[in-house]
Amino acid sequence: MTDDWTADTLAAIGPRLRAAREQRGATLTGVGRATGISLSTLSRIETGRRKPTLEVLLQLAKAYEVSLDELAGTAPPAAAAGPRTPVPRRSGTEKAVLPLTRYVGGLHAHKHVLPAVDTPPARPRQVSHDGYEWLCVLYGRLWLALGEQDLVLSAGDVAEFDTRTAHGVANAGPGGPVEYLIMFGPQGERLRSRTPAS
């Protein structure tokens, strides 16, 4: 761990850990099984409600195949200045996730791309975790399974939900890829709409 690491860095590392996990297509449950870290601990770290220990960080850095400095955002400028390119998930779905926010803590955003499909997909596998999420479809048709509900969202459609509700997404295709934005925040976070007075 470098001298650049501070208590604030440790406290705000959650979003980077979540981004690293999502880039690899891993779920909290899968990471927990692979590392032996409890699901509740992983969730609390990602949402900033718990500071990770060095031992936990080392386990997660190994699982996500990144350095500790990359997780903390203290990597040398030459490494951090490279172009942002989507990292294909390793789960076989070919989904790509591109982090859009480089700071840590609070709200953070990602762009997701689901590849085109030739046949109607199965109902998306659902997960749940602490947090709150806003989703906006940019292109294509996205199947959002939210609890018992099934929604098909098209370009321009938005959804927001408490991520403790089981949720999952899939390309509602056939007909091309799906691109969408996700903003994720801590439990209880809400976006505030402000418009100028007329």
Side-chain angles (χ1 to χ4, degrees):
M1 191 176 293
T2 74
D3 294 337
D4 294 329
W5 286 60
T6 65
D8 289 340
T9 300
L10 287 173
I13 200 170
R16 290 190 187 278
L17 286 168
R18 185 173 192 262
R21 174 175 60 79
E22 289 185 338
Q23 286 175 351
R24 282 147 188 83
T27 64
L28 286 173
T29 300
V31 173
R33 288 178 183 155
T35 63
I37 303 169
S38 74
L39 185 62
S40 62
T41 296
L42 289 170
S43 177
R44 286 175 176 272
I45 289 172
E46 285 194 0
T47 55
R49 293 184 296 143
R50 178 169 179 169
K51 294 180 183 179
T53 64
L54 176 58
E55 180 183 0
V56 166
L57 284 174
L58 288 170
Q59 287 178 285
L60 294 176
K62 182 178 180 181
Y64 301 151
E65 299 178 354
V66 296
S67 71
L68 290 175
D69 283 342
E70 286 176 294
L71 287 179
T74 58
R84 299 182 193 176
T85 55
V87 179
R89 289 170 55 118
R90 298 181 180 178
S91 61
T93 65
E94 300 179 33
K95 176 180 179 180
V97 179
L98 177 63
L100 300 178
T101 45
R102 299 189 69 84
Y103 57 82
V104 295
L107 292 172
H108 56 283
H110 300 88
K111 179 179 179 181
H112 293 234
V113 181
L114 293 173
V117 293
D118 297 324
T119 57
R123 191 170 195 264
R125 183 178 61 83
Q126 295 180 301
V127 298
S128 61
H129 51 83
D130 287 340
Y132 202 82
E133 191 166 294
W134 300 264
L135 181 154
C136 176
V137 178
L138 301 176
Y139 178 84
R141 298 170 67 244
L142 181 73
W143 181 357
L144 171 62
L146 187 61
E148 299 300 317
Q149 299 180 54
D150 289 286
L151 306 169
V152 176
L153 307 176
S154 300
D157 289 341
V158 297
E160 63 176 285
F161 52 91
D162 187 317
T163 55
R164 291 175 298 185
T165 300
H167 56 282
V169 297
N171 188 333
V178 180
E179 297 185 14
Y180 59 101
L181 297 177
I182 282 182
M183 289 185 65
F184 177 81
Q187 201 69 47
E189 187 79 36
R190 294 291 189 276
L191 291 182
R192 298 178 297 277
S193 176
R194 295 185 179 179
T195 56
S198 56

